[in-house]
Amino acid sequence: MDKNYTILIIDDKSENLHYLNTILKEENFLIRATTDANFAINSSRLNPPDLILLDIKMPNISGFEVCKILKEDEVLKEIPIIFISALDDTQSKVKALNEGGVDYITKPFEKEEVIARVKTQLKIFESKNTISKLLEQQDFFLKKIIHEMNTPLSIIGLNIDNLESTLGYKEQFEAIKASSKSLSSIYNDLYYLTKKEKRIIEEKSINLVRFLSSRVAFFDEMANIKNIDIALDIHKEFDVFMDSYELERVIDNTISNAIKYSFEDSTIEITLDKEDENYILSIKDEGIGIADTKAVFQAYYQQKDKNIGLGLGLSIVKEICDKNEIKIELSSEKNNTVFKYIFPQNRVIKGD
C-alpha cells in the first residue's frame, strides 16, 4: 500500500492491544491503541483513523454501542470497523455486520488472518474514496457542461427567430430549431440530474390540457423534420398536483423518445382519459418498438438497432414517477408503443 494508514485499536485487554500493535506495526501501519472506548470516540473526532479494530465485550460501553455512535457521526461514519471478539456464534457475527461492521475476527488471533483482513478492508476503503472523488469530478464536469450549454442555446434560438422574421420560413431554419431543441432537452435532463437533491419542489395545480399543448408546441420543429403529426385526444380533462418541472421532464422525455423512434409520416397520439376511477395520460407512437420494456428505464440503456441519445431520459421519467406514485404501464411492438401514466387519486385535483 502506498499510504501509511492509521489503525485505531479499541480493546479492554492490554495484552490484545500489545499483540495487535506488534503485528500491524510490522506492516508499517500507524497504530493508536486504547482500552478506553469513550476516549477513542473523542480522539477519533479530533483525528479520524483510516480503520478501527473494535472489541465487542467491554465494560461501561459495548463495541456495538461504540459502532453506533461512530456511524451516527457525519465525519466518522465511513470509517471501516472490523469487530474483534471471542464470541464465535453466528448471531454475534450477523449483529456485528448489521450494526455497520465490515468484517469480524475471532479470538485468539491468527497473525496472517488479521493482516489479510485489515489490508482487504483498507483496499476497499481506498477504492471507495477513489470512486467518491471521481464522482465529485464528474458532478463538477456535468455542471460546467450545463453552464456552457445554456448560453449558446439561447443565442441560437434568438438569432434563428430573428432570421425567420426577416427572411421568412425556410426548411433550414426548421432543422436548426429542431436540433437546438434536442440539445435543450438533453440540457434539461442533465440539469435535473445535477440539481435534483437541492431543488426546492414547488407543487401546484396544473391543467394538463394547457400543459400538454405547450409541450407539443415545443416539439413542433422536431416532429416536422420527420413529418410526424402529434395529436391531442382529450376524453377527460383534469388537473394534477405536482412540481411543473418534474412533470415537464416526464412529458418531454416521453414525447422526444416517441419522435426519435417513430417512423416518418406517422402519428403520435397523446390521450387524456379516465378508466374506472383512474385518470390516465397515454402517449402512443408508430415506430420501431422497444425490445426490452423493463431495461428501457435503466440509466444509459440504448436500443441496439437505434443507438441515439444519452439513455438517461426514461430513467429520469421512472425516478420522478416513482417519487410521485405515478404508475407506468408500457406496452410495445412494432408500429405501436404506448406509455401509459396512471395518476394516484391524491395527485388529481379535478376531473370532468
Side-chain angles (χ1 to χ4, degrees), residues 13-247:
K13 300 289 191 296
S14 57
E15 58 269 28
N16 289 334
L17 294 181
H18 177 73
Y19 177 73
L20 291 170
N21 186 14
T22 301
I23 65 172
L24 291 171
K25 270 190 173 179
E26 292 176 4
E27 301 296 320
N28 294 318
F29 293 120
L30 303 175
I31 306 300
R32 285 157 38 195
T34 181
T35 58
D36 188 335
N38 287 312
F39 173 79
I41 293 168
N42 292 328
S43 67
S44 295
R45 287 172 176 150
L46 295 172
N47 186 15
D50 296 302
L51 181 141
I52 297 172
L53 289 172
L54 177 60
D55 188 23
I56 292 177
K57 295 187 74 174
M58 295 185 292
N60 302 322
I61 181 170
S62 74
F64 293 137
E65 292 173 292
V66 173
C67 182
K68 183 179 179 182
I69 292 169
L70 295 171
K71 292 302 176 183
E72 289 174 349
D73 190 300
E74 284 298 315
V75 176
L76 307 176
K77 66 181 183 180
E78 298 300 329
I79 297 173
I81 296 173
I82 298 177
F83 281 99
I84 52 178
S85 178
L87 301 172
D88 195 23
D89 60 289
T90 301
Q91 186 177 354
S92 296
K93 293 177 181 178
V94 170
K95 184 175 181 182
L97 297 174
N98 287 338
E99 291 292 331
V102 296
D103 206 346
Y104 192 100
I105 303 174
T106 55
K107 302 175 184 178
F109 302 120
E110 295 290 340
K111 177 181 176 180
E112 291 78 9
E113 181 187 9
V114 172
I115 292 170
R117 289 179 183 271
V118 166
K119 283 186 175 180
T120 296
Q121 292 306 324
L122 284 172
K123 284 178 181 177
I124 294 171
F125 181 60
E126 191 176 69
S127 298
K128 285 176 67 177
N129 284 341
T130 300
I131 292 169
S132 179
K133 288 175 182 176
L134 288 172
L135 289 173
E136 285 179 12
Q137 291 173 2
Q138 176 183 282
D139 186 54
F140 174 77
F141 183 62
L142 280 174
K143 287 175 181 175
K144 287 291 289 182
I145 289 176
I146 288 169
H147 178 73
E148 295 300 324
M149 280 178 67
N150 193 30
T151 302
L153 278 172
S154 300
I155 293 171
I156 290 169
L158 181 63
N159 280 279
I160 286 297
D161 287 340
N162 288 337
L163 284 170
E164 194 168 42
S165 65
T166 303
L167 301 175
Y169 171 82
K170 292 185 181 296
E171 286 187 11
Q172 293 89 339
F173 293 160
E174 195 91 342
I176 294 171
K177 282 185 178 182
S179 297
S180 178
K181 288 185 175 180
S182 180
L183 283 174
S184 179
S185 187
I186 293 171
Y187 164 83
N188 282 318
D189 282 343
L190 292 174
Y191 182 86
Y192 170 81
L193 289 171
T194 57
K195 299 290 185 180
K196 64 180 179 180
E197 303 298 335
K198 297 178 181 178
R199 273 191 71 249
I200 297 173
I201 301 300
E202 298 180 356
E203 295 184 335
K204 62 181 181 180
S205 178
I206 302 169
N207 181 271
L208 272 182
V209 174
R210 289 195 295 270
F211 193 87
L212 288 168
S213 297
S214 69
R215 301 326 298 159
V216 169
F218 176 83
F219 285 102
D220 186 54
E221 291 88 2
M222 289 177 64
N224 287 342
I225 293 297
K226 297 175 72 174
N227 197 30
I228 294 171
D229 179 46
I230 303 179
L232 274 176
D233 189 6
I234 312 301
H235 295 283
K236 291 290 182 182
E237 184 172 347
F238 57 95
D239 296 359
V240 294
F241 186 76
M242 64 183 294
D243 181 82
S244 61
Y245 185 73
E246 291 188 344
L247 179 61

Side-chain angles (χ1 to χ4, degrees), residues 298-317:
Q298 297 173 4
Y300 306 111
Y301 171 84
Q302 292 185 324
Q303 196 145 310
K304 292 179 181 178
D305 55 354
K306 196 153 187 176
N307 193 345
I308 47 179
L310 297 179
L312 291 172
L314 291 180
S315 69
I316 291 172
V317 168

Side-chain angles (χ1 to χ4, degrees), residues 326-344:
I326 300 168
K327 183 181 178 182
I328 305 173
E329 290 185 358
L330 169 58
S331 60
S332 184
E333 55 190 31
K334 192 172 182 180
N335 299 327
N336 191 333
T337 294
V338 182
F339 282 82
K340 186 180 288 188
Y341 299 104
I342 304 170
F343 292 89

